[in-house]
Amino acid sequence: MSISTPSANNDGGGSAIKRMFHKCNEFRSTPAAVLIVSTMAVFSDTVVYGLIVPFLPDILQNKLGMSSSANGILFGTFGLGVLIGAPISAYISDRWNMRKWPMVIGLVGLGATSVLFALADAFWELVVARLAQGISSGITWAVGLAMIADVYSGEGIGKAMGVAFSGFTIGYLGGPVLGGVIYGAGGNHAIAIFVGAIAVVDLVFRLLLVEPKNMQPVQSSRASSLAGVDPTQAEKQIQSTISAEAGSMPIAEVSPSITADNEIGDMNSGVQAHITCLPAARRIGGATDANSADAPLERRTTMWDLLKEWPILACCLATITVTGASGSFEPTLPIHMAEEYGSSPAIIGVVFIALVVPSMITGILVGRFTDDERVLNYLAPYGRFAFMIIGSLLAAIAVACVGATRNIAGLVVSLAVVGFLCGTAAVPIMSTMGVHVYRMGGDAYAKVYALFNIAYSIGVIVIPTVLPPVMNAVGFAATMGVVSALLVFGAIVLAIQPTRMLRKYGRSAFIGENARTFL
């Protein structure tokens, strides 16, 4: 009979602890860790953005004696900040393949400026703090989403972006809930303490993350539109062109992306051939000939290149209309509830819960469907755009119902439906943009998500700024009608190109082995 000695027990315990630390250390560099940290970053950013919603009328109208137009100005100022921060951080992040530290810098700035906003007691101070918040937010969004695309490129990006979108909706729509409760309990100082605490927790997670090592290398990429050519012929043309360029030198990495399941369309023909050409340094027999005199010059994809792509441009439009519609409640609903029902900031915050829970469900559910090839093939040539179009049209009806309600119970039900449907339209946007950049060569993830942020900023700047004066002139119900019309307009524009493809080629052209590519 053996007897365990204390030292043996201690050694066993020490080994278990070492194994646990080893596993934790390994997890820090996994795609799952990247997704968790990026989702937390998006959540922290958007919860800070939404905190002010329920108590902003109390500060601006009651304490500072300003008109309701000032509410829209503050939301628009935030969007202007995002418009500044996102492109700059995207360029730096893509140029030097750096993700972690821009995110850390963005978080520190967001936490500091949010505390300043909570403690400000003059309108100009609020404007400056809100502008700085937007700049920091633009950094977090552009780089955080790009980091997800780095490790989930291709398959799985829809599910990953669905998870990130859930973090976005929880923060974006849960912020007003927390803001109302915290402000009601402790005022501005309680808000400042909460923001500081959430920033510290998020900062710890970002510092623990190991910079992803499998980021897409910067490559020279080209796009070639092949009108009226089927994918098989297109692929042969591309390969023969590359072979001619390379001469007799063997090519180790050529990845044409014209496949039967490629869901990316071309404005003119419905066929977009995106190829990853020779790397900046040629690879010969597994080795890299970095000093080859005839190596092609490195060409980076610019934001202008991205905007020339119909799927990217259409996704930007959908971002403006869908996120703009979701953001329309922030400057209008608190004023409407305070005037119509005499609601306190705490009650206003609780009502926003109706938008939160359905959007969380949508992020996970729709993210799965946008990665399912069977679903996308069934929806061809609309593909992921079908979710955006149908979600926008149904959300337009639900928004109109919000304006028609005459009691808080009806308001809550209508908001819940809006949250679910706006989420259905919004989730595919991020994954579609990521997939398209992946097909283009994968060297512009931060740039494409900077465009997403720019489009988001346009919606945040224009719509919240315009709606309060509109509501003063025509009332809450008519204002919701304007938002509904915006969603319908966006859906119509999104449907134009795939409908043209469908009428020109017929649905049978998008089914089978030699199927045409679609959105």
Side-chain angles (χ1 to χ4, degrees), residues 371-452:
D371 265 354
D372 192 321
E373 290 184 8
R374 293 171 299 178
V375 173
L376 295 175
N377 287 330
Y378 181 79
L379 296 172
Y382 294 87
R384 292 179 176 89
F385 274 45
F387 293 93
M388 303 181 205
I389 295 166
I390 295 171
S392 295
L393 291 174
L394 295 179
I397 299 173
V399 169
C401 291
V402 171
T405 55
R406 293 294 177 265
N407 54 68
I408 292 182
L411 192 64
V412 168
V413 173
S414 299
L415 287 173
V417 177
V418 170
F420 183 85
L421 294 173
C422 280
T424 301
V427 168
I429 296 174
M430 293 186 288
S431 60
T432 301
M433 296 177 106
V435 167
H436 196 80
V437 170
Y438 174 74
R439 300 298 185 183
M440 292 178 69
D443 69 330
Y445 288 126
K447 293 186 186 75
V448 80
Y449 290 121
L451 287 176
F452 171 84

Side-chain angles (χ1 to χ4, degrees), residues 12-365:
S15 299
I17 293 173
K18 287 180 180 179
R19 286 195 299 271
M20 182 182 69
F21 275 110
H22 180 68
K23 289 182 178 179
C24 290
N25 191 51
E26 287 183 338
F27 180 77
R28 293 167 55 206
S29 58
T30 62
V34 170
L35 181 58
I36 290 172
V37 171
S38 297
T39 302
M40 279 194 63
V42 171
F43 165 78
S44 300
D45 171 72
T46 49
V47 77
V48 167
Y49 170 82
L51 278 174
I52 71 167
V53 171
F55 61 83
L56 197 58
D58 182 57
I59 292 177
L60 294 180
Q61 276 75 61
N62 297 338
K63 294 183 179 179
L64 299 181
M66 306 195 71
S67 69
S68 58
S69 298
N71 300 49
I73 291 173
L74 280 185
F75 285 106
T77 301
F78 183 92
L80 179 61
V82 174
L83 203 61
I84 297 170
I88 295 173
S89 62
Y91 174 80
I92 294 172
S93 182
D94 276 343
R95 177 67 179 81
W96 285 283
N97 285 352
M98 181 173 57
R99 306 290 195 223
K100 176 180 175 179
W101 291 109
M103 287 185 67
V104 170
I105 293 170
L107 176 64
V108 172
L110 183 67
T113 55
S114 299
V115 171
L116 290 175
F117 181 90
L119 298 178
D121 54 8
F123 184 68
W124 72 268
E125 293 175 346
L126 294 173
V127 170
V128 171
R130 198 65 170 163
L131 178 66
Q133 270 186 340
I135 294 172
S136 301
S137 174
I139 297 172
T140 296
W141 266 91
V143 180
L145 294 179
M147 191 157 59
I148 293 176
D150 287 333
V151 294
Y152 285 94
S153 295
E155 295 184 7
I157 193 171
K159 297 184 183 72
M161 289 300 178
V163 173
F165 183 81
S166 294
F168 163 73
T169 53
I170 294 171
Y172 184 73
L173 302 173
V177 179
L178 292 171
V181 173
I182 295 171
Y183 183 78
N188 290 13
H189 289 84
I191 293 290
I193 293 171
F194 174 78
V195 170
I198 199 171
V200 169
V201 172
D202 195 4
L203 180 62
V204 171
F205 275 83
R206 294 195 200 187
L207 290 174
L208 288 175
L209 180 70
V210 175
E211 185 90 13
K213 300 299 181 184
N214 57 337
M215 290 172 60
Q216 292 288 332
V218 176
Q219 298 174 348
S220 167
S221 49
R222 300 176 185 172
S224 172
S225 299
L226 305 175
V229 181
D230 66 42
T232 304
Q233 294 173 336
E235 183 170 343
K236 290 179 180 178
Q237 279 188 306
I238 294 167
Q239 289 176 333
S240 63
T241 301
I242 296 175
S243 297
E245 288 182 0
S248 60
M249 301 179 68
I251 302 173
E253 291 188 6
V254 178
S255 57
S257 61
I258 299 297
T259 60
D261 61 343
N262 184 5
E263 303 91 6
I264 303 172
D266 180 275
M267 289 186 67
N268 300 317
S269 65
V271 180
Q272 185 78 15
H274 289 297
I275 62 174
T276 302
C277 298
L278 295 172
R282 293 178 182 267
R283 300 176 185 272
I284 305 175
T288 302
D289 183 10
N291 298 320
S292 177
D294 58 345
L297 294 175
E298 180 182 291
R299 182 184 183 279
R300 298 178 183 276
T301 304
T302 66
M303 286 189 182
W304 181 243
D305 292 331
L306 293 173
L307 283 174
K308 291 178 182 178
E309 302 290 321
W310 167 254
I312 300 298
L313 186 61
C315 283
C316 289
L317 172 66
T319 302
I320 293 172
T321 57
V322 175
T323 60
S326 299
S328 67
F329 298 108
E330 294 166 358
T332 58
L333 191 60
I335 297 173
H336 172 68
M337 291 185 66
E339 294 178 350
E340 187 73 16
Y341 309 116
S343 302
S344 66
I347 295 297
I348 295 171
V350 171
V351 167
F352 269 88
I353 293 176
L355 282 163
V356 178
V357 178
S359 297
M360 291 168 54
I361 298 171
T362 303
I364 304 299
L365 188 63

